[in-house]
């Protein structure tokens, strides 16, 4: 993602606190020990910038990184030292095995054909190659199903040339600690694992780290919690907030009883109101489903977002704020410690993951804290 390099010219400022990400990593690593703690960096580190986040986590001691796609791995590789492993969750697209070895990327093998392709590539190179194998323990999304595992094991030399680093799976309901699916998937994972050659295992995402040691195995794979998202809804969020999004006031105006605001006139004033227009819209990932229900923090006060969200702007009712504090160029908080990502997501009827991964490329991006 090409970030806007112009702080004064941009409509909004996105600040990413690398120290908070590092503190979150330390907390997760301590919770999961003695298991190793990786970092999931897919979708440009959940929208926060994989190059900067990866460098900071490497400095914090992280040596295992996950991305979703091959091109994400190729983009991340130059930002990490050679002793950092980069695993590609989706595995090799057909005939791309050579790109994995060229860029020192390790595939997650999700199917018998992917395993066969990796084996053939190892054979062609005449050396053994690292891989993770993913099995499906009940989510029906990625990985070999139990019957496919059996078919794979029945192939002669099924692991020839493959150094199996981990067998992994993924949980569907880990954010709800008492959902019975968690224990069911754990049992299925253990059963599949018992049929494979002995090797380390990995099951837990952010939420599952908080399900207890049974779920930790040898490597945990947090993403969301690193970036400040609450790992489950059952308890207070132990993670530090990472993101601050500040929009800029473009204009202010006074409207009278009966005046309308925005597309389709979805807000009508019942009395005199002060309106501030702020330069963030749905094209910046400020989800349109928050029309008439969003909030912003202006000068420390929560104010309602009124009317429909436009492509490039929103409108706030700032009647509660002294006008001297809301002028063109004033900054207002849209995401901050008092109104974190999960609260924004709640208003938008979605999850924090979607709010973060939608953060726009028009924002000026600033990183605070120790990058190295
Ligand atoms: C995205 C992902 C993770 C990280 O999940 P979080 O809920 O963000 O911690 C871990 N493992 C797999 C396979 C994933 O796709």
């Amino acid at each position: 993602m090409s970030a806007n390099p112009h702080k004064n010219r941009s409509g909004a400022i996105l600040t990413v606190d690398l120290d908070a990400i590092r503190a979150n990593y330390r907390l997760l690593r301590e919770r999961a020990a003695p298991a190793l703690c990786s970092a999931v960096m897919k979708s440009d580190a959940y929208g926060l910038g994989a190059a900067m986040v990866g460098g900071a986590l490497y400095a914090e001691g992280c040596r295992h990184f996950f991305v979703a796609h091959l091109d994400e791995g190729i983009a991340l590789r130059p930002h990490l030292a050679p002793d950092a492993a980069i695993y590609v969750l989706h595995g090799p697209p057909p005939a791309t095995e050579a790109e994995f070895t060229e860029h020192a990327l390790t595939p997650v093998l999700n199917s018998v054909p992917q395993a066969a392709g990796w084996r053939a590539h190892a054979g062609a190179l005449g050396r053994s190659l690292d891989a993770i194998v993913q099995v499906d323990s009940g989510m029906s999304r990625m990985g070999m199903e139990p019957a496919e595992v059996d078919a794979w094991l029945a192939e002669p030399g099924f692991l020839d040339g493959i150094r199996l680093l981990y067998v992994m799976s993924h949980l569907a309901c880990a954010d709800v600690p008492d959902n019975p699916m968690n224990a069911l998937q754990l049992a299925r994972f253990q059963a599949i694992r018992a049929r494979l050659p002995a090797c380390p295992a990995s099951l837990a995402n952010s939420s599952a780290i908080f399900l207890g040691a049974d779920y930790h195995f040898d490597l945990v794979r947090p993403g969301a919690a690193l970036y400040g998202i609450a790992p489950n809804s059952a308890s207070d969020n132990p993670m530090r907030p990472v993101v601050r999004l500040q929009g800029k006031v473009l204009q202010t105006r006074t409207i009278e009883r009966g005046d309308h605001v925005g597309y389709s006139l979805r807000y009508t004033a019942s009395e005199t109101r002060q309106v501030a227009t702020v330069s963030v819209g749905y094209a910046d990932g400020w989800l349109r489903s928050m029309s008439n229900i969003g909030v912003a923090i202006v000068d420390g006060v929560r104010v309602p977002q009124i009317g429909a969200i436009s492509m490039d702007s929103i409108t706030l009712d700032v009647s509660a704020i002294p006008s001297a504090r809301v002028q063109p160029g004033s900054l207002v908080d849209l995401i901050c410690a008092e109104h974190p990502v999960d609260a924004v997501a709640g208003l938008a009827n979605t999850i924090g993951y979607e709010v973060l991964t939608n953060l726009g490329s028009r924002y000026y991006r600033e990183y605070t804290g120790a990058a190295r």
Side-chain angles (χ1 to χ4, degrees):
M1 188 179 297
S2 60
N4 182 338
H6 302 290
K7 191 169 188 174
N8 292 331
R9 298 183 199 167
S10 72
I13 298 163
L14 182 76
T15 307
V16 177
D17 183 347
L18 296 173
D19 283 345
I21 294 177
R22 293 172 71 146
N24 288 339
Y25 179 76
R26 289 194 299 272
L27 185 151
L28 296 166
R29 183 173 60 191
E30 281 157 26
R31 285 297 287 244
L36 295 175
C37 190
S38 70
V40 178
M41 307 275 290
K42 58 199 184 188
S43 193
D44 201 29
Y46 291 44
L48 303 187
M52 292 297 291
V53 171
L57 287 173
Y58 184 91
E60 199 58 53
C62 184
R63 293 294 179 269
H64 300 267
F65 296 84
F66 285 87
V67 295
H69 303 292
L70 170 57
D71 58 3
E72 291 180 335
I74 292 172
L76 179 60
R77 182 78 269 177
H79 302 286
L80 298 176
D83 64 335
I86 302 176
Y87 307 107
V88 178
L89 285 164
H90 292 179
T96 60
E97 288 83 4
E99 296 191 68
F100 277 73
T101 42
E102 182 186 337
H103 297 279
L105 305 173
T106 304
V108 173
L109 304 174
N110 295 289
S111 66
V112 170
Q114 281 191 341
W118 197 238
R119 211 164 53 209
H121 185 52
L125 294 180
R127 62 184 170 98
S128 60
L129 299 175
D130 291 347
I132 292 178
V133 164
Q134 178 158 218
V135 298
D136 176 17
S137 56
M139 192 173 177
S140 307
R141 185 185 71 167
M142 290 293 285
M144 298 186 196
E145 293 162 39
E148 199 179 0
V149 171
D150 289 336
W152 181 50
L153 294 177
E155 289 185 355
F158 71 99
L159 260 186
D160 281 357
I162 297 179
R163 193 164 45 230
L164 193 53
L165 300 181
Y166 296 95
V167 56
M168 66 169 267
S169 192
H170 192 54
L171 298 177
C173 305
D175 57 323
V176 183
D178 57 4
N179 191 311
M181 190 63 181
N182 295 323
L184 187 65
Q185 283 195 264
L186 176 62
R188 285 185 186 163
F189 182 56
Q190 281 162 330
I192 300 170
R193 208 187 150 206
R195 300 218 293 279
L196 293 170
C199 84
S202 174
L203 180 63
N205 68 340
S206 300
S207 304
I209 292 172
F210 295 86
L211 293 179
D214 287 352
Y215 290 83
H216 293 167
F217 293 93
D218 303 290
L219 179 75
V220 297
R221 307 188 308 270
L226 290 171
Y227 311 119
I229 291 174
N232 67 59
S233 45
S235 51
D236 284 346
N237 187 359
M239 313 316 301
R240 261 172 66 175
V242 167
V243 172
R244 183 175 193 189
L245 177 62
Q246 297 166 287
K248 290 181 190 169
V249 174
L250 294 168
Q251 287 199 321
T252 61
R253 73 194 68 238
T254 304
I255 60 171
E256 303 299 340
R257 176 188 165 87
D259 285 346
H260 310 289
V261 175
Y263 282 117
S264 309
L265 314 182
R266 286 173 65 180
Y267 175 85
T268 304
S270 55
E271 57 187 322
T272 303
R273 308 308 300 164
Q274 302 299 323
V275 178
T277 305
V278 172
S279 58
V280 168
Y282 62 75
D284 302 296
W286 201 247
L287 301 171
R288 193 166 171 277
S289 54
M290 285 190 291
S291 292
N292 260 329
I293 53 174
V295 305
I297 313 285
V298 182
D299 205 28
V301 178
R302 282 171 81 88
V303 306
Q305 189 267 315
I306 56 175
I309 288 171
S310 297
M311 185 183 294
D312 315 303
S313 63
I314 55 174
T315 32
L316 305 175
D317 177 349
V318 292
S319 309
I321 315 294
S323 63
R325 314 298 292 242
V326 194
Q327 291 294 319
S330 299
L331 295 177
V332 309
D333 277 314
L334 298 173
I335 302 174
C336 59
E338 304 82 65
H339 187 51
V341 176
D342 290 307
V344 173
L347 294 174
N349 197 21
T350 182
I351 55 176
Y353 298 65
E354 192 178 27
V355 173
L356 285 191
T357 54
N358 272 290
L359 290 171
S361 56
R362 293 195 292 188
Y363 299 146
Y364 174 81
R365 285 167 179 246
E366 204 156 63
Y367 291 88
T368 61
R372 299 283 154 198

